[in-house]
Amino acid sequence: MRPIRIANFSGFFGDRASALAQMIRTAEADVLTGDYLAEVTMSVLAKQRDRNPGAGYAAGFLAQLRPVLAEFAGGDARIVVNAGGLHPRGLAAAVRELAQAGGHPIPVATVVGDDVLDQVAGSDAVTRFDDFCPVTANAYLGGWGIARALADGARIVVCGRVADASLVVGAAAWWHGWDRDAWDPLAGALIAGHLIECGTQVTGGNFSGFDATALSDLAFPVADIAGDGTVVVSKPEPSGGRVSVDTVTAQLVYEVQGRWYANPDVVADLSTISLEQTGIDAVTVSGTVGAPPPPTTKVAMTGEGDWENSMLIGVTGMDFAAKRQVLEQGVRAALAGVAGISAVCVELIGCEAQAPTSQNEATGFLRVVVQGTDETAVGRSFSSAIVEMALASFPGIYLTAPPGKAIRRGAYRAISIDQGIPDHQVIAEDGSVVAIEPPAVTRAYAEEFDAPAEPAADDHDNLVEVRLGALAHARSGDKGGDANIGVWAHDSQVWPWLRDRLTVPQLRRLLPEAGDLSIDRVELPNLMAVNFVIRGLLGGGAISSLRLDSQAKGLGEYLRACRVEAPKTLVSELHR
């Protein structure tokens, strides 16, 4: 059987509204997939559901589908989305109503069972989190419910918290008729799903090797998945962006935790993957070795967090560090006796310009953030303390906006549960229900991280100082409270140096904010890459982190801007 052609049209909740229409008309896909869910998204959907019990799903999917419904209904393609969020039945009903009203009824199936709030609430796994009461708890489901829904004739499959890459795994398993223990082909599809799940991030978006013209009208990606799990990633023509070994590597190392890329369906060994540029804007991904899935699956939980307030304060001219110290001392002293404030953070944004030509060039900011359990303390007490310092702090101090009210932040926690606990089901167009069995074969995995050894001494006479980004690309992101950074060499000559020199101790020197946090490091030689996970850098995760870059999206670019010593033979004069 020929490869299945799968096109992505959504990488997150709020992605390009016109992408579904573009891909229906240009991709010639068998299946179109849309990923809408993230850790932050579930908290957003929970707030929408609180305001309207009928909400809780990504309504934007309906807006994407409406203008191309007749075109889609007249073709043979299928659509698979996890836009159902917290209310997949509600979205499926809305899709049917839209199709009926437009005179194009199509069979819609729903995948449910990810909502495990009743099963985990009050369990030991949850109560160990002090003062956390989940309002959502959604297990990551695999792709076999999707495969069954497509086999039974569904044209649109609406899912809740199905794992992002499982949208593709389920579609490929249906097309090729794979058995549930076809580990290598399933792992190939898993990697294909990971590569296209974030949409334009694999076609040049958020890529450290970007240029001004390549970002115009970025294409969404296509993956052709063969029966043996070999994948060709490409994009429809004509469209902007590019697909190269580097853009594919950038997405491949995005938010991974080590060598084993785990999923409810299968585990892929990232160290086995080979990438090859096999055409213009076409990269072949081959050699992926798979293994049975773990016995557990992740459960993402959200709930109400503490109150938070923040202010941005201008700092101009000289002595940035001293001005930060003065402000932080004053803020902490003023809030020391205020009950209900549990955390205070003062961040310096920007650096002192050496030869500014305007006031804006000589300006940075101090971001002051507080969190706590008392709304009044975090609101009025905090803002009053800052305002009262206006005439009694460092020279040139000013606020960028009036004081604001405290806002209630969300809280995120993750646990693992046995894969047999979620009641994974497919609800067909006629209302019949099919139960999806948990995996019969599983395996426990222990990640083996690289030792934090120091390299041998360099010959300093042959070294030159250079920004790391002159020799390496990087991509960073978040998983809960952990930050991930994948770094890979520009070419094979740089790889031995990067492998030997970018160690855990070196990373600590370059990223002082990592402090004494635990850092895991894994080498991926096939990709000429090293991957780091900095445990706890983001605190409670994106929806409650005190950091300005709460999802660590810019951390990789900061690392590339750091200066390191490298052999002269590797460094062009143009990149020093």
Side-chain angles (χ1 to χ4, degrees):
M1 183 176 290
R2 68 171 176 83
I4 180 174
R5 188 169 176 83
I6 302 178
N8 172 277
F9 64 87
S10 176
F12 68 99
F13 183 57
D15 209 345
R16 189 187 308 169
S18 61
L20 176 57
Q22 291 171 341
M23 297 309 277
I24 284 177
R25 291 165 182 163
T26 64
E28 299 180 346
D30 301 301
V31 176
L32 300 112
T33 59
D35 177 26
Y36 294 80
L37 303 183
E39 295 165 357
V40 174
T41 311
M42 305 305 275
S43 181
V44 173
L45 294 176
K47 292 177 181 178
Q48 293 180 356
R49 187 179 62 181
D50 286 344
R51 295 191 294 267
N52 175 10
Y57 55 79
F61 172 61
L62 296 172
Q64 290 174 300
L65 180 62
R66 185 176 290 108
V68 290
L69 181 59
E71 198 170 340
F72 169 75
D76 296 322
R78 316 287 181 100
I79 293 176
V80 181
V81 295
N82 59 12
L86 300 176
H87 193 13
R89 289 179 175 86
L91 179 57
V95 171
R96 291 188 184 98
E97 182 179 347
L98 177 66
Q100 291 281 0
H104 303 286
I106 47 179
V108 179
T110 315
V111 175
V112 299
D114 58 296
D115 185 350
V116 293
L117 182 61
D118 291 341
Q119 291 96 313
V120 303
S123 67
D124 291 342
V126 175
T127 56
R128 66 185 174 90
F129 299 117
D130 293 338
D131 302 322
F132 174 73
C133 180
V135 296
T136 71
N138 296 84
Y140 283 55
L141 301 180
W144 291 104
I146 293 168
R148 178 58 186 263
L150 293 172
D152 288 347
R155 289 289 308 282
I156 296 179
V157 183
V158 173
C159 310
R161 178 64 279 190
V162 163
D164 304 349
S166 286
L167 302 174
V168 171
V169 174
W174 156 69
W175 181 268
H176 291 294
W178 290 331
D179 293 330
R180 292 188 66 157
D181 60 355
W183 306 127
D184 291 352
L186 287 167
L190 170 62
I191 295 304
H194 175 56
L195 289 174
I196 71 172
E197 71 190 19
C198 290
T200 54
Q201 276 199 171
V202 78
T203 61
N206 292 350
F207 171 46
S208 55
F210 77 99
D211 61 66
T213 57
L215 299 181
S216 176
D217 186 32
L218 277 184
F220 277 72
V222 171
D224 290 278
I225 307 170
D228 65 353
T230 299
V231 180
V232 178
V233 179
S234 62
K235 67 183 185 70
E237 297 293 348
S239 55
R242 55 180 150 155
V243 178
S244 68
V245 168
D246 280 328
T247 67
V248 171
T249 302
Q251 179 59 26
L252 188 53
V253 300
Y254 179 58
E255 295 181 346
V256 298
Q257 303 292 287
R259 170 185 171 186
W260 304 108
Y261 189 70
N263 174 271
D265 307 305
V266 64
V267 170
D269 183 349
L270 297 181
S271 70
T272 64
I273 297 172
S274 294
L275 305 179
E276 181 183 0
Q277 193 82 42
T278 49
I280 299 174
D281 294 318
V283 171
T284 297
V285 185
S286 62
T288 307
V289 172
T296 60
T297 189
K298 176 180 174 181
V299 175
M301 303 181 295
T302 66
E304 282 195 341
D306 284 345
W307 294 94
E308 183 177 296
N309 203 353
S310 65
M311 300 184 82
L312 203 60
I313 298 167
V315 51
T316 306
M318 301 165 55
D319 307 318
F320 273 30
K323 290 172 181 176
R324 172 186 176 174
Q325 183 178 9
V326 166
L327 182 75
E328 184 164 6
Q329 288 174 344
V331 169
R332 292 190 182 278
L335 299 178
V338 179
I341 293 180
S342 57
V344 179
C345 175
V346 180
E347 288 185 302
L348 176 61
I349 303 171
C351 59
E352 191 172 325
Q354 298 303 307
T357 59
S358 68
Q359 181 176 341
N360 282 352
E361 286 188 11
T363 298
F365 298 94
L366 291 167
R367 177 176 175 263
V368 186
V369 189
V370 295
Q371 289 181 347
T373 56
D374 185 86
E375 181 181 7
T376 301
V378 175
R380 183 66 180 177
S381 297
F382 164 66
S383 59
S384 295
I386 296 293
V387 171
E388 289 168 6
M389 296 174 63
L391 306 182
S393 188
F394 62 81
I397 185 173
Y398 63 91
L399 304 181
T400 63
K405 297 180 179 179
I407 60 171
R408 175 76 84 174
R409 294 301 301 267
Y412 172 84
R413 302 289 187 273
I415 61 173
S416 295
I417 62 172
D418 188 277
Q419 288 222 49
I421 292 178
D423 189 13
H424 192 172
Q425 296 180 344
V426 178
I427 304 174
E429 174 69 23
D430 62 3
S432 60
V433 177
V434 176
I436 304 300
E437 294 296 321
V441 179
T442 62
R443 181 186 300 175
Y445 294 84
E447 194 69 66
E448 296 179 2
F449 298 111
D450 302 326
E454 284 284 15
D458 284 309
D459 178 3
H460 288 280
D461 291 338
N462 292 314
L463 296 179
V464 63
E465 190 178 77
V466 64
R467 290 184 186 271
L468 178 61
L471 299 172
H473 292 293
R475 171 69 64 81
S476 58
D478 65 308
K479 282 294 181 185
D482 301 335
N484 153 262
I485 311 176
V487 186
W488 68 102
H490 280 181
D491 56 52
S492 58
Q493 288 183 308
V494 174
W495 166 236
W497 170 84
L498 182 71
R499 176 195 60 211
D500 294 341
R501 294 302 184 267
L502 194 55
T503 61
V504 169
Q506 173 73 326
L507 186 72
R508 291 192 192 280
R509 286 190 287 270
L510 298 176
L511 302 178
E513 53 263 62
D516 58 356
L517 297 173
S518 174
I519 300 178
D520 299 328
R521 179 185 187 273
V522 168
E523 294 177 7
L524 300 170
N526 281 13
L527 306 176
M528 299 190 296
V530 289
N531 187 75
F532 297 94
V533 179
I534 306 174
R535 304 291 179 185
L537 182 70
L538 305 179
I543 57 178
S544 60
S545 177
L546 288 167
R547 288 177 59 89
L548 179 64
D549 183 10
S550 62
Q551 292 180 280
K553 301 298 187 185
L555 195 61
E557 285 302 287
Y558 169 70
L559 182 63
R560 292 181 69 244
C562 293
R563 304 195 75 87
V564 296
E565 288 187 330
K568 294 178 181 178
T569 55
L570 296 180
V571 182
S572 164
E573 289 289 340
L574 297 176
H575 294 112
R576 292 186 182 181

